[in-house]
Amino acid sequence: MATPPPTADWYRRFAELEAAGHSAVYEDWALGVAGDPAVLALIEALPFPKRQPNLILACARLLGAPEGGYVEFRHWLLDNWDAVAGQARVRMTQTNEARRCAALLPALARIDGPLALIELGASAGLCLYPDRYSYDLGGERIDPPTGPSPVLLSSDYSGPVPTVLPEVTWRAGSDLNPLDVGSTDDVRWLTTLIWPEQHERRERLSAAIQLVAADPPLLLRGDAIDTLDDLLARVPVGATPVVQTSGMLVYLPFESRMRLVERIRASGARWVSLEAVGALPTVRERLPEERPGAYVLGLDERPLAWVGPHGQFVEWIQGA
Ligand SMILES: C[S@@+](CC[C@H](N)C(=O)[O-])C[C@H]1O[C@@H](n2cnc3c(N)ncnc32)[C@H](O)[C@@H]1O
């Protein structure tokens, strides 16, 4: 039997390891693509990063692919491939999940404030507002000092629960392609990036977008490495600069990622990371074990807790 092309493996792994249990539609579509030479050939004509399952499936839905079974999806995809490929060429996956703030809190609580937050790979900047959301942390409620927020972020906590929110006096970020919460097109893309059955996430996204739109963040357009100094130079006197990276390091090829790590270390800023286990070697080396599917919350490259990739849970690492 011929070895399956890597794209088929990519789609099969996506179906089995990522979509299964979270989106029956994406699981079905990705498995269908993995076994479909005609569709694989179209996808493989795209540059490698643009073949990503999450990107192709979201572009198809953006253009109106029916959320039914694979046969119907395939028919639609073949009819609309040029438009889907056109979208994939100009878009990136930029999922912005406000609930990650619930998982960032324990690290932020360990830094003396007031804080100046700098998020690299910020997407639309929804994770720059940890002080403006309300939280249900394993049954413990925390609200901003001004009162309950219209956005409630729930996370299952095991271990100590922060009792106050960080004082954030300044916030800004950068992204290769910053998304604007005031743009209909950007909001539609952010919404489409959420998988079909994840209605709760779509509601949270919409509420967070409204909150952020009332006071949008400064977001610079550019590579994380190239924009870091500019952002640091803008930090107001008296605030502690905190670099925040969440779900973004994997986007950087290893060498660029290590260059970014060096630059953050040399900057003297504190660094809060919420990343996949393999994304930061120094954090990985300090882990007592690995947890399949979990991300790691780190402070200055020291692991503090296992966390759900979207902030669904926080579990303290022993001795952290
Ligand atoms: C999955 S999103 C995460 C967004 C946000 N940090 C969050 O946790 O919700 C990753 C973001 O990183 C951005 N990105 C990827 N490579 C980048 C780079 N080299 N420099 C700056 N941003 C980058 C992408 O455009 C995307 O918006």
Side-chain angles (χ1 to χ4, degrees):
M1 199 177 77
T3 314
T7 311
D9 288 347
W10 197 354
Y11 276 71
R12 193 168 297 111
R13 277 204 315 272
F14 174 80
E16 292 171 355
L17 303 179
E18 297 187 48
H22 300 286
S23 170
V25 171
Y26 269 22
E27 185 185 1
D28 179 45
W29 287 2
L31 277 179
V33 170
D36 190 331
V39 172
L40 286 170
L42 291 174
I43 294 173
E44 283 176 347
L46 288 168
F48 181 72
K50 300 294 179 182
R51 301 175 197 166
Q52 193 191 352
N54 214 9
L55 178 65
I56 296 293
L57 302 186
C59 288
R61 284 173 55 237
L62 186 76
L63 293 168
E67 292 178 7
Y70 182 67
V71 173
E72 191 187 4
F73 173 70
R74 175 185 200 270
H75 190 73
W76 183 93
L77 192 64
L78 293 175
D79 280 352
N80 293 276
W81 177 253
D82 288 349
V84 173
Q87 288 295 321
R89 284 180 194 280
V90 297
R91 294 193 187 265
M92 295 188 284
T93 51
Q94 296 196 262
T95 307
N96 201 187
E97 177 51 70
R99 186 169 52 183
R100 286 184 174 142
C101 288
L104 294 168
L105 291 180
L108 296 173
R110 290 190 171 199
I111 305 172
D112 290 335
L115 309 182
L117 290 186
I118 294 175
E119 186 177 9
L120 303 175
S123 183
L126 304 185
C127 294
L128 279 167
Y129 295 75
D131 54 327
R132 303 274 180 90
Y133 302 125
S134 284
Y135 298 88
D136 176 343
L137 306 177
E140 301 286 331
R141 169 104 188 192
I142 318 183
D143 293 311
T146 48
S149 165
V151 183
L152 175 67
L153 306 177
S154 301
S155 185
D156 286 331
Y157 258 60
S158 65
V161 173
T163 50
V164 286
L165 298 185
E167 183 190 356
V168 179
T169 48
W170 186 84
R171 67 198 90 223
S174 67
D175 200 288
L176 286 177
N177 180 43
L179 295 180
D180 174 3
V181 289
S183 147
T184 310
D185 184 59
D186 287 356
V187 168
R188 205 156 76 86
W189 180 233
L190 282 169
T191 307
T192 308
L193 283 166
I194 295 180
W195 296 358
E197 297 88 344
Q198 299 184 326
H199 306 298
E200 185 205 340
R201 290 189 61 205
R202 255 188 298 280
E203 281 167 24
R204 186 166 54 244
L205 174 71
S206 166
I209 283 173
Q210 280 184 46
L211 183 146
V212 169
D215 177 20
L218 166 69
L219 296 179
L220 305 184
R221 178 178 296 275
D223 182 83
I225 298 174
D226 301 336
T227 51
L228 180 58
D229 287 347
D230 188 348
L231 289 164
L232 284 164
R234 296 173 191 234
V235 169
V237 175
T240 307
V242 179
V243 171
Q244 190 171 297
T245 60
S246 70
M248 74 79 70
L249 290 179
V250 289
Y251 286 80
L252 276 66
F254 190 74
E255 270 184 27
S256 319
R257 202 185 314 161
M258 290 304 107
R259 267 195 297 132
L260 177 61
V261 170
E262 288 299 335
R263 294 287 291 277
I264 298 174
R265 278 184 199 148
S267 74
R270 307 298 301 271
W271 179 13
V272 173
S273 56
L274 194 167
E275 298 287 351
V277 170
L280 254 180
T282 40
V283 167
R284 183 180 216 161
E285 284 159 13
R286 292 171 172 143
L287 288 171
E289 58 182 332
E290 298 214 357
R291 290 280 171 89
Y295 276 27
V296 184
L297 173 68
L299 176 59
D300 303 328
E301 298 177 70
R302 299 198 167 272
L304 293 184
W306 301 108
V307 298
H310 294 139
Q312 309 92 306
F313 66 85
V314 173
E315 186 185 329
W316 280 92
I317 291 170
Q318 205 74 27

